[in-house]
Amino acid sequence: MRKVIVIDDEVAATQGLKRDLDNIPEVEVIGCYNNPELGIEAICQLLPDIVFLDIEMPVIDGFMVAKATEHINYHLVFVTAYAEHAITAFDTKVVDYLLKPVRPSRLIRCLDKIERLSHDIVMPDVTEIAVYDGKRNHLLASNDISFIESIGRYQRVNLSAYGRSRFNLESIITEESMANFELQLDSERFMRIHRSYIVNLTQVAQVLRQSRHTLVKLFDVDEPISVARAKVGLLNEYLLQCR
């Protein structure tokens, strides 16, 4: 049973989300707060597993609540009527971003995602591509790939933690073109975010803004990767739908 707190300055929104959550046997709503300051106190005292948090609230907004409680270990889900907050939201430890009104089916998908994250489940992936390194072919599943980068006439396929454990390799250098990778890889999981980079979208940990530039931070990758301006909207759309 997962303990849940709901924080939203709108009473109707709080009550509606609580009603939907009450219909899900795996969760228990231990508190609903229309005052974000009281919500911060509740998070610190009650130590919930999941917090559903509105963003636009008077005086103390959702980002301020997230910052004030970042030392507490819980799964953060933003619930808002405004899609434009998505990029900023993923600068926090948010695991999902729900748009109001929240459909019950979307709420269940959110909770399923949190369950997978909690147990570090690697979803089965039967689709494989062959990557030739000049000596032999490596059969890679989507979960094996973190990102692909162009390095002159070659491409470097950087493996995820899961892929590194399978192949005992950090990366694979190949002459396969970026265009061919785009054709072979699942377009729902991979995006060419820059002319030099294709990323596995399930590996995105954070979206960062630096000056006028947007970057993505991937799990287990030290340096963030630049996002072309033309791709920011598509990335934003993906994060709203999935992550």
Side-chain angles (χ1 to χ4, degrees):
M1 184 74 70
R2 294 195 173 275
K3 299 182 296 182
V4 172
I5 282 178
V6 178
I7 304 173
D8 193 316
D9 64 308
E10 297 179 2
V11 175
T14 305
Q15 292 176 342
L17 186 54
K18 181 181 185 303
R19 184 169 55 250
D20 289 339
L21 288 166
D22 284 342
N23 290 325
I24 301 173
E26 294 82 8
V27 300
E28 176 190 6
V29 180
I30 59 173
C32 292
Y33 302 89
N34 303 122
N35 181 326
E37 189 172 355
L38 294 179
I40 293 172
E41 292 179 8
I43 292 171
C44 296
Q45 293 173 6
L46 301 179
L47 303 178
D49 300 303
I50 307 169
V51 174
F52 290 91
L53 178 61
D54 187 22
I55 292 180
E56 291 207 353
M57 297 183 288
V59 186
I60 300 176
D61 65 21
F63 297 126
M64 296 168 70
V65 173
K67 180 67 175 177
T69 60
E70 63 183 1
H71 61 291
I72 306 294
N73 185 26
Y74 65 88
H75 295 290
L76 171 61
V77 179
F78 279 123
V79 185
T80 179
Y82 304 98
E84 59 265 27
H85 292 307
I87 293 296
T88 306
F90 280 90
D91 287 343
T92 70
K93 65 176 184 178
V94 67
V95 298
D96 212 340
Y97 187 101
L98 307 183
L99 285 178
K100 298 177 181 178
V102 181
R103 300 186 307 275
S105 59
R106 181 66 179 89
L107 186 59
I108 290 172
R109 278 168 46 207
C110 170
L111 294 170
D112 286 344
K113 177 183 179 181
I114 290 172
E115 191 67 21
R116 293 197 303 272
L117 289 172
S118 300
H119 292 89
D120 293 322
I121 295 174
V122 176
M123 299 302 290
D125 189 341
V126 295
T127 303
E128 294 182 328
I129 64 169
V131 178
Y132 185 62
D133 66 1
K135 295 181 180 179
R136 62 192 179 102
N137 276 316
H138 302 269
L139 291 178
L140 301 182
S142 297
N143 289 332
D144 295 321
I145 302 169
S146 175
F147 70 101
I148 302 167
E149 60 182 317
S150 179
I151 49 172
R153 58 175 290 195
Y154 298 100
Q155 273 49 250
R156 178 185 287 121
V157 181
N158 295 278
L159 302 185
S160 64
Y162 179 66
R164 293 196 298 271
S165 68
R166 284 189 64 204
F167 294 93
N168 197 30
L169 293 170
E170 293 289 324
S171 63
I172 300 167
I173 306 295
T174 180
E175 291 185 336
E176 192 79 35
S177 71
M178 294 291 273
N180 281 342
F181 275 121
E182 281 190 280
L183 290 173
Q184 294 181 70
L185 293 168
D186 182 357
S187 62
E188 292 187 358
R189 297 190 63 173
F190 289 86
M191 181 184 295
R192 190 168 184 176
I193 62 169
H194 186 279
R195 66 181 180 181
S196 299
Y197 295 102
I198 296 172
V199 301
N200 185 339
L201 295 167
T202 66
Q203 293 290 310
V204 175
Q206 274 187 307
V207 179
L208 310 172
R209 275 180 172 168
Q210 293 182 0
S211 185
R212 292 184 297 172
H213 302 288
T214 300
L215 306 98
V216 293
K217 179 75 172 62
L218 305 182
F219 292 114
D220 298 318
V221 177
D222 292 334
E223 294 297 322
I225 297 172
S226 294
V227 182
R229 191 170 301 174
K231 297 291 186 176
V232 172
L234 288 175
L235 181 63
N236 188 9
E237 182 180 341
Y238 169 81
L239 295 174
L240 286 175
Q241 290 176 350
C242 74
R243 238 179 122 43

